[in-house]
């Protein structure tokens, strides 16, 4: 039976600090009933091990199960692709979703995307998003930024990508790390045009939950 999910969104986690942003984004997309296509770089696995209590296997089939358990996804809602799975739909303009988010985005992947390296499936999928003029959102986390990072961000912005730094605000008076994570994830969902109740938009009052 064909699934009834909303259109797929590609989410790639790379090896910058802030794995929680990407994992929470997957959870929120699942909750919003979207299909989610996931890629996790080798370095991102190391960051996830360092920063969270979640243990994620590398093999795509097992990763689907683990992310499904973590997010409460229905069967078929999450698909995962390996580093060099060049036959994956994200590797071609004819199969790639309308939107891709790299969250968090390492400066290494930022540089590779800005220069079109396409040395792994994450970089290739981003290259496809750019060439097809699809939505590409990058969530870099580094501090301070070098001229190299800033120049790559500028050229990506000029190519139509959105640079959405992992720099949460504090005007919503966060009381936990989860509040800070949700601040960034809410911004990503706003960009994607996906409804959420993570935090009120500017000028709105807080949801009554
Ligand atoms: C625990 C940990 C934290 C890291 N934090 C960052 C970071 O915040 N920003 C960044 O650009 N790279 C960071 N790195 C380095 C990247 O993981 C490294 O450059 C890697 O080659 C990126 O590969 P990828 O883009 O294929 O994931 C971190 C690495 C580790 C192990």
């Amino acid at each position: 039976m064909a699934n009834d999910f909303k259109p797929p969104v590609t989410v790639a986690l790379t090896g910058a600090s802030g794995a929680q942003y990407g994992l929470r984004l997957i959870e929120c997309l699942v909750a919003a009933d979207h299909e989610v296509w996931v890629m996790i770089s080798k370095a991102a696995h190391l960051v996830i091990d360092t920063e969270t209590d979640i243990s994620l296997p590398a093999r795509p089939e097992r990763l689907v199960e683990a992310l499904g358990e973590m997010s409460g996804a229905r069967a078929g809602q999450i698909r995962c692709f390996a580093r060099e799975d060049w036959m994956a739909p994200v590797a071609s303009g004819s199969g790639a979703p309308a939107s891709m988010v790299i969250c968090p985005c390492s400066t290494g992947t930022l540089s590779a995307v800005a220069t079109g390296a396409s040395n792994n499936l994450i970089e290739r999928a981003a290259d496809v998003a750019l060439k097809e003029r699809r939505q590409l959102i990058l969530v870099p986390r580094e501090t301070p930024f070098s001229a190299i990072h800033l120049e790559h961000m500028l050229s990506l912005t000029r190519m139509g990508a959105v640079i959405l730094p992992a720099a949460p605000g504090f005007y919503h008076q966060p009381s936990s790390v989860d509040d800070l994570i949700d601040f960034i994830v809410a911004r990503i969902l706003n960009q994607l045009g996906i409804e959420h109740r993570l935090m009120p938009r500017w000028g709105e009052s807080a949801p009554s939950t």
Side-chain angles (χ1 to χ4, degrees):
M1 197 176 77
N3 72 50
D4 55 353
F5 302 123
K6 291 180 187 159
V9 176
T10 304
V11 177
L13 277 75
T14 64
S17 184
Q20 294 92 334
Y21 294 119
L23 297 173
R24 178 73 170 137
L25 176 62
I26 292 171
E27 254 176 26
C28 291
L29 290 169
V30 164
D33 234 16
H34 280 266
E35 203 172 310
V36 191
W37 294 3
V38 180
M39 292 172 278
I40 300 184
S41 77
K42 250 188 194 174
H45 276 286
L46 188 54
V47 174
I48 291 166
D49 285 347
T50 308
E51 295 186 338
T52 76
D53 296 330
I54 300 164
S55 169
L56 290 181
R59 287 167 59 105
E61 320 79 61
R62 300 210 28 240
L63 186 56
V64 166
E65 280 172 32
L67 289 174
E69 216 168 282
M70 179 202 84
S71 65
R74 292 188 276 148
Q77 193 172 4
I78 293 182
R79 293 177 70 181
C80 297
F81 305 110
R83 179 183 163 82
E84 294 192 3
D85 181 1
W86 305 115
M87 302 307 284
V90 292
S92 163
S94 64
S99 301
M100 173 174 184
V101 188
I102 308 182
C103 175
C105 184
S106 73
T107 55
T109 292
L110 181 84
S111 147
V113 175
T115 55
S118 295
N119 279 325
N120 60 49
L121 189 63
I122 294 174
E123 295 170 11
R124 169 65 186 167
D127 202 53
V128 167
L130 287 174
K131 86 182 172 75
E132 299 291 339
R133 311 289 196 269
R134 307 243 167 102
Q135 187 175 31
L136 177 63
I137 301 167
L138 298 95
V139 184
R141 202 238 61 103
E142 187 50 272
T143 194
F145 286 126
S146 71
I148 298 172
H149 308 147
L150 292 166
E151 279 174 6
H152 285 145
M153 285 192 258
L154 181 60
S155 66
L156 282 164
T157 296
R158 286 184 169 144
M159 286 181 240
V162 169
I163 303 294
L164 196 156
F170 288 82
Y171 50 77
H172 63 316
Q173 301 189 345
S175 55
S176 66
V177 172
D178 286 347
D179 287 347
L180 295 171
I181 294 168
D182 278 357
F183 182 100
I184 296 301
V185 173
R187 291 300 181 280
I188 299 168
L189 294 170
N190 291 350
Q191 285 289 322
L192 293 169
I194 294 174
E195 285 297 318
H196 64 82
R197 294 172 60 81
L198 297 182
M199 56 178 297
R201 288 170 195 264
W202 190 257
E204 286 175 355
S205 52
S208 51
T209 53

